[in-house]
Short mmCIF file of all heavy atoms in Angstrom, two decimals:
data_model
loop_
_atom_site.label_atom_id
_atom_site.label_comp_id
_atom_site.label_asym_id
_atom_site.label_seq_id
_atom_site.Cartn_x
_atom_site.Cartn_y
_atom_site.Cartn_z
N PHE A 895 50.97 10.29 -19.41
CA PHE A 895 51.13 9.97 -20.83
C PHE A 895 52.59 9.69 -21.20
O PHE A 895 52.88 9.32 -22.33
CB PHE A 895 50.57 11.11 -21.70
CG PHE A 895 49.06 11.13 -21.74
CD1 PHE A 895 48.35 12.03 -20.98
CD2 PHE A 895 48.38 10.22 -22.53
CE1 PHE A 895 46.96 12.04 -21.01
CE2 PHE A 895 46.99 10.23 -22.58
CZ PHE A 895 46.28 11.14 -21.81
N ARG A 896 53.50 9.88 -20.24
CA ARG A 896 54.88 9.51 -20.51
C ARG A 896 55.05 7.99 -20.45
O ARG A 896 55.98 7.43 -21.03
CB ARG A 896 55.81 10.17 -19.48
CG ARG A 896 55.90 11.69 -19.59
CD ARG A 896 56.65 12.27 -18.42
NE ARG A 896 56.00 11.93 -17.15
CZ ARG A 896 56.49 12.29 -15.96
NH1 ARG A 896 57.65 12.94 -15.87
NH2 ARG A 896 55.84 11.97 -14.86
N ARG A 897 54.14 7.32 -19.75
CA ARG A 897 54.23 5.87 -19.59
C ARG A 897 53.12 5.13 -20.34
O ARG A 897 53.19 3.91 -20.48
CB ARG A 897 54.17 5.50 -18.10
CG ARG A 897 55.35 6.04 -17.30
CD ARG A 897 55.25 5.64 -15.86
NE ARG A 897 55.18 4.18 -15.74
CZ ARG A 897 54.58 3.55 -14.73
NH1 ARG A 897 53.96 4.24 -13.79
NH2 ARG A 897 54.59 2.24 -14.70
N LEU A 898 52.10 5.85 -20.78
CA LEU A 898 50.99 5.21 -21.50
C LEU A 898 50.68 6.01 -22.76
O LEU A 898 50.29 7.18 -22.68
CB LEU A 898 49.75 5.11 -20.61
CG LEU A 898 48.51 4.47 -21.23
CD1 LEU A 898 48.81 3.06 -21.71
CD2 LEU A 898 47.37 4.44 -20.23
N THR A 899 50.87 5.40 -23.92
CA THR A 899 50.62 6.07 -25.19
C THR A 899 49.64 5.25 -26.02
O THR A 899 49.44 4.05 -25.79
CB THR A 899 51.93 6.23 -25.99
OG1 THR A 899 52.52 4.94 -26.18
CG2 THR A 899 52.90 7.12 -25.25
N PHE A 900 49.01 5.92 -26.98
CA PHE A 900 48.03 5.28 -27.87
C PHE A 900 48.48 5.48 -29.32
O PHE A 900 48.76 6.60 -29.75
CB PHE A 900 46.64 5.89 -27.66
CG PHE A 900 46.02 5.54 -26.33
CD1 PHE A 900 46.36 6.26 -25.18
CD2 PHE A 900 45.10 4.51 -26.23
CE1 PHE A 900 45.80 5.94 -23.97
CE2 PHE A 900 44.54 4.19 -25.01
CZ PHE A 900 44.89 4.90 -23.87
N THR A 901 48.54 4.37 -30.07
CA THR A 901 49.00 4.41 -31.46
C THR A 901 47.96 3.76 -32.37
O THR A 901 47.45 2.67 -32.07
CB THR A 901 50.33 3.64 -31.61
OG1 THR A 901 51.30 4.21 -30.72
CG2 THR A 901 50.83 3.72 -33.04
N SER A 902 47.65 4.45 -33.48
CA SER A 902 46.68 3.92 -34.44
C SER A 902 47.36 2.93 -35.38
O SER A 902 48.49 3.14 -35.82
CB SER A 902 46.07 5.05 -35.27
OG SER A 902 45.37 5.96 -34.45
N GLY A 903 46.61 1.84 -35.68
CA GLY A 903 47.14 0.86 -36.61
C GLY A 903 46.30 -0.39 -36.62
O GLY A 903 45.37 -0.56 -35.82
N ASN A 904 46.62 -1.28 -37.58
CA ASN A 904 45.91 -2.54 -37.73
C ASN A 904 46.90 -3.67 -37.48
O ASN A 904 47.85 -3.86 -38.26
CB ASN A 904 45.33 -2.63 -39.14
CG ASN A 904 44.46 -3.86 -39.34
OD1 ASN A 904 44.77 -4.95 -38.85
ND2 ASN A 904 43.36 -3.70 -40.07
N PHE A 905 46.72 -4.42 -36.38
CA PHE A 905 47.74 -5.42 -36.02
C PHE A 905 47.77 -6.61 -36.99
O PHE A 905 48.71 -7.39 -36.97
CB PHE A 905 47.58 -5.90 -34.58
CG PHE A 905 46.23 -6.46 -34.21
CD1 PHE A 905 45.74 -7.63 -34.78
CD2 PHE A 905 45.44 -5.81 -33.27
CE1 PHE A 905 44.51 -8.14 -34.44
CE2 PHE A 905 44.20 -6.33 -32.91
CZ PHE A 905 43.73 -7.50 -33.49
N ILE A 906 46.78 -6.75 -37.84
CA ILE A 906 46.81 -7.80 -38.86
C ILE A 906 47.63 -7.35 -40.07
O ILE A 906 48.42 -8.12 -40.64
CB ILE A 906 45.39 -8.18 -39.31
CG1 ILE A 906 44.60 -8.78 -38.13
CG2 ILE A 906 45.41 -9.15 -40.49
CD1 ILE A 906 45.12 -10.13 -37.65
N GLU A 907 47.49 -6.09 -40.45
CA GLU A 907 48.10 -5.61 -41.69
C GLU A 907 49.38 -4.82 -41.47
O GLU A 907 50.30 -4.87 -42.30
CB GLU A 907 47.09 -4.73 -42.44
CG GLU A 907 45.80 -5.45 -42.81
CD GLU A 907 44.76 -4.52 -43.40
OE1 GLU A 907 45.05 -3.31 -43.49
OE2 GLU A 907 43.66 -5.00 -43.78
N ASP A 908 49.49 -4.07 -40.38
CA ASP A 908 50.63 -3.16 -40.19
C ASP A 908 51.74 -3.81 -39.36
O ASP A 908 51.53 -4.81 -38.65
CB ASP A 908 50.16 -1.87 -39.47
CG ASP A 908 49.09 -1.14 -40.27
OD1 ASP A 908 49.08 -1.29 -41.51
OD2 ASP A 908 48.26 -0.45 -39.65
N ALA A 909 52.91 -3.21 -39.43
CA ALA A 909 54.04 -3.66 -38.60
C ALA A 909 53.73 -3.37 -37.14
O ALA A 909 53.12 -2.35 -36.80
CB ALA A 909 55.31 -2.93 -39.04
N LEU A 910 54.18 -4.26 -36.27
CA LEU A 910 53.88 -4.11 -34.84
C LEU A 910 54.93 -3.22 -34.17
O LEU A 910 56.13 -3.31 -34.47
CB LEU A 910 53.88 -5.48 -34.16
CG LEU A 910 52.90 -6.52 -34.72
CD1 LEU A 910 52.99 -7.81 -33.90
CD2 LEU A 910 51.48 -5.99 -34.72
N PRO A 911 54.51 -2.33 -33.25
CA PRO A 911 55.47 -1.53 -32.49
C PRO A 911 56.40 -2.43 -31.69
O PRO A 911 56.01 -3.50 -31.23
CB PRO A 911 54.59 -0.69 -31.58
CG PRO A 911 53.24 -0.67 -32.23
CD PRO A 911 53.11 -2.00 -32.91
N ALA A 912 57.62 -1.99 -31.48
CA ALA A 912 58.59 -2.78 -30.72
C ALA A 912 58.21 -2.78 -29.24
O ALA A 912 57.75 -1.77 -28.69
CB ALA A 912 59.99 -2.20 -30.91
N ALA A 913 58.41 -3.93 -28.58
CA ALA A 913 58.12 -4.05 -27.15
C ALA A 913 58.76 -5.32 -26.60
O ALA A 913 59.08 -6.25 -27.36
CB ALA A 913 56.61 -4.08 -26.92
N ASP A 914 58.95 -5.35 -25.27
CA ASP A 914 59.46 -6.56 -24.61
C ASP A 914 58.33 -7.55 -24.33
O ASP A 914 58.57 -8.75 -24.25
CB ASP A 914 60.13 -6.18 -23.27
CG ASP A 914 61.33 -5.27 -23.47
OD1 ASP A 914 61.97 -5.38 -24.52
OD2 ASP A 914 61.60 -4.45 -22.57
N LEU A 915 57.11 -7.02 -24.15
CA LEU A 915 55.95 -7.85 -23.80
C LEU A 915 54.78 -7.47 -24.71
O LEU A 915 54.43 -6.28 -24.82
CB LEU A 915 55.56 -7.62 -22.33
CG LEU A 915 54.29 -8.32 -21.84
CD1 LEU A 915 54.50 -9.84 -21.75
CD2 LEU A 915 53.86 -7.77 -20.48
N TYR A 916 54.20 -8.46 -25.34
CA TYR A 916 53.01 -8.22 -26.16
C TYR A 916 51.78 -8.78 -25.43
O TYR A 916 51.87 -9.82 -24.75
CB TYR A 916 53.16 -8.87 -27.54
CG TYR A 916 54.14 -8.13 -28.42
CD1 TYR A 916 55.47 -8.53 -28.49
CD2 TYR A 916 53.74 -7.03 -29.17
CE1 TYR A 916 56.39 -7.85 -29.28
CE2 TYR A 916 54.65 -6.34 -29.97
CZ TYR A 916 55.97 -6.75 -30.01
OH TYR A 916 56.86 -6.06 -30.78
N ILE A 917 50.67 -8.09 -25.61
CA ILE A 917 49.43 -8.47 -24.92
C ILE A 917 48.32 -8.65 -25.95
O ILE A 917 48.12 -7.79 -26.83
CB ILE A 917 49.01 -7.39 -23.89
CG1 ILE A 917 50.15 -7.16 -22.87
CG2 ILE A 917 47.73 -7.81 -23.18
CD1 ILE A 917 49.91 -5.96 -21.98
N LEU A 918 47.60 -9.75 -25.84
CA LEU A 918 46.41 -10.00 -26.66
C LEU A 918 45.25 -10.30 -25.71
O LEU A 918 45.19 -11.37 -25.10
CB LEU A 918 46.63 -11.19 -27.60
CG LEU A 918 47.63 -10.98 -28.74
CD1 LEU A 918 47.91 -12.30 -29.46
CD2 LEU A 918 47.08 -9.94 -29.73
#
Side-chain angles (χ1 to χ4, degrees):
F895 284 102
R896 293 171 300 178
R897 296 181 58 207
L898 180 58
T899 57
F900 291 82
T901 303
S902 298
N904 185 321
F905 56 65
I906 296 293
E907 300 173 359
D908 300 332
L910 303 182
D914 298 330
L915 175 70
Y916 287 94
I917 303 170
L918 291 172

